[in-house]
Amino acid sequence: MNLRSSWVAETGQTREDTRLTQIGATTPQNTLEARSGILAGSNSGQYRASGFSLDGGTAAMSATLNPGRAVIQGQSGQGVYPVALASALTLVFAPGDAQFGRIDLVVLRVYDSLYDSSNRHEAVAEIIQGTPAQTPVPPATPPLSLPLYEVMVPATASAGTGGINWNTSLRDLRTSIVALGGILPVLGEIRPGAYPGQYQDSGGSLQRWDGSAWVPYPSALGGIAPAGALGSASYTGQYRDTAGGVLQRWNGTAWLPAVPGPAFNATDDGGYTTSLTYTPTLVERTANPLTLTFTAPASRSVLISYGSRVYTAASDTATAYMSLRVTRGATVDLEPNDNLAVVYSGSVAASVSSVMRLHSLIPGTSYTLTALHRSSNAGVRAWFDGVYLRVDAQT
C-alpha cells in the first residue's frame, strides 16, 4: 500500500494512518459533497502547493511523487476520503510505443468494494496508461480518483533512448482545497464557488463568489480597484485608481473623477464695461466670455471661488460688480445678481474675491459658469483684470 487512507480498509487501519489522514480541510462543492483536491502549502512557504508534485529528475522513465495530503470525494452520500502520502514514491512509466506517442495519467485513487467491484479496500497512487495515437489524448479519469498529472510519453521512449523529457512532458492537473471559510489558493482549474461570500486567491487578485461568478475583491467589498485591474464596472459607486493617479467613480454609465477638480480658468487680459446690466463681454478684452465647465460630483455640492482686480476709472463713487451665471446646457440654474457679486468702488485698483456654495447639483452632469460684469454708472468704466473662476468639489 503506497498511500495512507482512513475509513477504507476493512481491517488494519492504524492509529498512524488515522493521524496522518484526519485532514479537517474540505472545500464545499454542494450541500453533501466536498471538492476533491490537495492541501495547499509547501515546506518553505514559497509555493502555493508542493504536495503530490511530480519530479522527473534525471531518471529516464521514472519520476518521484512527493509527499502530500488530499481528499477524494465519492458519489453523493458516499462521503469524502482523506489520503496522505507520508514519504516520496517512485512511479515507473512503461516504454513508449514503437510508432506513436501516448499520454499517461497519474492519479490518486481509492478502491472501496462497498461501492465498486474491485474487491479492494485501499488508496493508491497509480499510472493510468493512455492509448498510443498520432494525436494522443489522455485516458479518462477512473471513478473515485484525483488526477494529478498528464505525462506525454513519446514514441520509442525507453531507458536506452533517453526516455521522457521531464521539462516539457508534464501537465499539472492538481487542484487545491482549504477548510470551510478559508481563502482558496487557486491551483489548476478554476471551478465555480459553492456559496456567495466564498473567497479565492487567483494568484493575481483576491476574488469573491457572488452566486454566479468570481468577482475581484475590490468590486465585491467596495474597495478601490488598482490601476489596470478593472475595465468595466460592476455597480454604480464603484471606485478605481488610474495610471495617472486619478481616483475615478462609476456613475452608472461612465468613469468620472471621484473628486472632480479643482476646475480653474482665468485671464490676464483686462477690459471694461459701462453696462448697467450684467454682461459677459468686456471692451478691450479678447477672452469673451470667461467661462468654466465642471462636472457635478457625487456629493451634489461644490464651492465656487471667483474674483478680479477691479477699479472704476476716474470715479470714487461708482461701483463695479462681478457676478456669475450657472447653466446646465440650455437650462439656466442661477442668474447673476448683486447679492452674490464681488463689488468695489474706487479709482485705485484693488483685488476682490468671494466664495459661494452651489448645492443640489445632479451628479455627473456638466455645468458651466460664466463671469458677468456691470457698472453702477453708465458714464463710468468699470475695469476688470485678472478675472478667475475656480470650482472645488465638496465631499
Side-chain angles (χ1 to χ4, degrees):
M1 183 183 297
N2 58 21
L3 193 67
R4 305 287 188 100
S5 62
S6 59
W7 318 125
V8 179
E10 291 181 300
T11 61
Q13 178 176 323
T14 68
R15 286 174 292 181
E16 188 177 68
D17 289 335
T18 305
R19 287 194 299 270
L20 282 171
T21 57
Q22 293 315 292
I23 291 166
T26 56
T27 301
Q29 183 163 280
N30 53 45
T31 54
L32 281 182
E33 297 179 3
R35 179 184 297 187
S36 296
I38 68 171
L39 265 69
S42 62
N43 292 336
S44 64
Q46 183 178 358
Y47 304 104
R48 300 172 76 80
S50 62
F52 296 106
S53 58
L54 192 64
D55 295 331
T58 58
M61 297 300 296
S62 64
T64 300
L65 188 65
N66 290 304
R69 296 189 294 173
V71 296
I72 301 174
Q73 172 64 50
Q75 299 176 9
S76 182
Q78 185 174 346
V80 63
Y81 296 80
V83 299
L85 183 63
S87 59
L89 175 69
T90 299
L91 299 177
V92 180
F93 292 81
D97 180 70
Q99 185 176 6
F100 298 116
R102 72 172 191 272
I103 298 176
D104 291 353
L105 186 65
V106 178
V107 302
L108 302 180
R109 186 173 183 179
V110 172
Y111 292 91
D112 187 349
S113 64
L114 289 176
Y115 298 93
D116 58 44
S117 58
S118 66
N119 199 30
R120 298 169 64 182
H121 296 86
E122 62 178 333
V124 298
E126 63 183 22
I127 300 170
I128 309 300
Q129 189 169 309
T131 302
Q134 188 170 2
T135 305
V137 296
T141 302
L144 207 54
S145 296
L146 176 63
L148 299 177
Y149 284 89
E150 290 176 3
V151 180
M152 180 65 194
V153 181
T156 71
S158 68
T161 62
I164 298 170
N165 185 342
W166 297 110
N167 293 323
T168 59
S169 296
L170 295 181
R171 183 185 175 209
D172 192 345
L173 303 178
R174 295 173 302 157
T175 57
S176 60
I177 57 168
V178 291
L180 177 63
I183 296 175
L184 179 71
V186 175
L187 188 70
E189 178 188 5
I190 296 179
R191 304 182 188 178
Y195 55 90
Q198 185 178 3
Y199 288 88
Q200 70 174 20
D201 182 346
S202 67
S205 66
L206 190 62
Q207 298 175 330
R208 177 184 183 273
W209 181 255
D210 69 356
S212 60
W214 289 107
V215 181
Y217 176 82
S219 302
L221 293 190
I224 299 172
L230 196 62
S232 58
S234 300
Y235 56 89
T236 300
Q238 188 173 11
Y239 288 88
R240 73 175 183 183
D241 191 14
T242 63
V246 177
L247 183 64
Q248 293 182 329
R249 178 184 182 274
W250 180 256
N251 72 350
T253 57
W255 287 105
L256 299 174
V259 182
F264 183 83
N265 196 14
T267 179
D268 292 330
D269 186 12
Y272 71 89
T273 184
T274 57
S275 173
L276 297 178
T277 59
Y278 282 104
T279 175
T281 302
L282 293 178
V283 180
E284 297 187 8
R285 187 177 74 176
T286 58
N288 282 310
L290 183 69
T291 62
L292 176 63
T293 299
F294 68 94
T295 300
S299 65
R300 302 166 58 91
S301 178
V302 297
L303 293 178
I304 301 175
S305 304
Y306 50 104
S308 177
R309 183 173 178 270
V310 187
Y311 69 96
T312 50
S315 175
D316 289 325
T317 58
T319 303
Y321 294 81
M322 173 188 168
S323 191
L324 302 174
R325 175 181 289 132
V326 180
T327 56
R328 175 171 33 98
T331 302
V332 178
D333 288 332
L334 180 67
E335 288 284 14
N337 62 81
D338 293 348
N339 291 331
L340 298 177
V342 292
V343 298
Y344 179 72
S345 297
S347 58
V348 178
S351 294
V352 292
S353 64
S354 184
V355 178
M356 63 173 284
R357 177 174 176 265
L358 193 62
H359 57 89
S360 300
L361 304 176
I362 302 173
T365 300
S366 180
Y367 289 80
T368 299
L369 298 179
T370 302
L372 295 101
H373 317 270
R374 78 176 187 90
S375 174
S376 66
N377 189 324
V380 175
R381 295 179 178 182
W383 283 87
F384 300 87
D385 195 3
V387 180
Y388 74 90
L389 302 172
R390 172 172 170 157
V391 175
D392 290 271
Q394 287 192 293
T395 57

